[in-house]
Amino acid sequence: GDSVTQMEGPVTLSEEAFLTINCTYTATGYPSLFWYVQYPGEGLQLLLKATKADDKGSNKGFEATYRKETTSFHLEKGSVQVSDSAVYFCALSLISNFGNEKLTFGTGTRLTIIP
Amino acid sequence: GAVVSQHPSRVICKSGTSVKIECRSLDFQATTMFWYRQFPKQSLMLMATSNEGSKATYEQGVEKDKFLINHASLTLSTLTVTSAHPEDSSFYICSANRGGAEAFFGQGTRLTVV
């Protein structure tokens, strides 16, 4: 079945460090790929997405490129801030048998940035 | 826009009792809502798809009589955990689509059954 494997956390970095959170997927068909972020006490929010191979999603300084050849969608940021501390979820989406977009999530990676 | 509110955020209940969790889309109508649960250090697992005005569609392995879902209006879906047991303790999250592929999530509900 479809699955997402995500880098286990927790991850702790100093402010202004470079961030990479690895994500690989297994899917039948051609999924869309997402990164969601959950800040403390809040719901999941869409951070960025890519809908086809070689697309690059970007938002708030974060980037991820849809790599079909390596089935990966790694999240990167060049210089993290304390405000980036959150849990990050990688996810894929395929159309279900009922015509809905069905999300499959990774386990989430807790990121803590220290000043 | 596109706010989904989930209530309560935390609940503790006794074994054998039932617990209702509400998921509301505050500023849009959602014909479809989704319910997930997450065990510690595991993925969010889709439990069921809730469709307004019709029966929910449950994922394989999810007991429909255990997890009752009611989507009575375009802005409200409820999940009732019936006869809760300690193994039902988990983090439950709902999401709603506003007509496109992007899902908007509630804050989640931490259920503890003692």
Side-chain angles (χ1 to χ4, degrees):
Chain A
D2 305 325
S3 66
V4 176
T5 302
Q6 188 174 339
M7 176 178 174
E8 278 196 34
V11 174
T12 302
L13 295 173
S14 297
E15 203 166 23
E16 299 184 2
F18 184 86
L19 168 71
T20 300
I21 301 178
N22 290 336
C23 172
T24 57
Y25 68 90
T26 303
T28 54
Y30 302 96
S32 295
L33 301 174
F34 304 82
W35 277 99
Y36 282 86
V37 59
Q38 185 174 30
Y39 298 104
E42 299 182 18
L44 276 73
Q45 303 172 23
L46 179 64
L47 179 60
L48 53 84
K49 67 179 181 182
T51 58
K52 61 183 188 297
D54 299 325
D55 269 2
K56 176 186 284 188
S58 61
N59 186 25
K60 298 182 181 180
F62 290 89
E63 293 183 341
T65 301
Y66 190 143
R67 300 287 188 197
K68 185 179 177 183
E69 63 276 13
T70 54
T71 61
S72 65
F73 193 55
H74 304 321
L75 182 68
E76 296 182 336
K77 185 173 185 180
S79 177
V80 293
Q81 305 300 314
V82 173
S83 57
D84 294 326
S85 298
V87 181
Y88 293 81
F89 292 90
C90 185
L92 66 82
S93 173
L94 284 165
I95 300 293
S96 74
N97 292 335
F98 302 95
N100 297 310
E101 294 271 351
K102 181 177 174 180
L103 283 168
T104 300
F105 286 89
T107 54
T109 302
R110 181 175 298 278
L111 173 67
T112 302
I113 307 300
I114 53 176
Chain B
V3 178
V4 175
S5 177
Q6 194 172 334
H7 178 80
S9 58
R10 292 178 181 271
V11 58
I12 300 173
C13 72
K14 290 185 177 180
S15 186
T17 62
S18 295
V19 174
K20 180 184 286 188
I21 303 170
E22 292 187 347
C23 179
R24 292 180 185 275
S25 55
L26 297 186
D27 51 2
F28 67 100
Q29 294 183 331
T31 55
T32 304
M33 291 185 174
F34 301 86
W35 287 97
Y36 298 83
R37 67 186 297 182
Q38 184 182 30
F39 292 105
K41 299 185 179 180
Q42 295 188 27
S43 300
L44 277 76
M45 301 299 296
L46 179 65
M47 298 174 65
T49 303
S50 170
N51 299 295
E52 188 269 335
S54 64
K55 291 184 179 180
T57 304
Y58 289 81
E59 295 297 302
Q60 191 172 10
V62 178
E63 299 175 59
K64 60 181 67 176
D65 295 331
K66 173 79 170 173
F67 299 100
L68 299 179
I69 292 172
N70 185 359
H71 195 152
S73 76
L74 286 171
T75 60
L76 174 64
S77 177
T78 60
L79 168 68
T80 301
V81 183
T82 63
S83 187
H85 291 283
E87 58 265 30
D88 299 323
S89 299
S90 188
F91 192 60
Y92 294 86
I93 306 175
C94 71
S95 73
N97 285 41
R98 195 172 51 177
E102 183 178 350
F104 299 93
F105 287 83
Q107 307 95 316
T109 298
R110 173 79 58 194
L111 170 64
T112 303
V113 184
V114 297

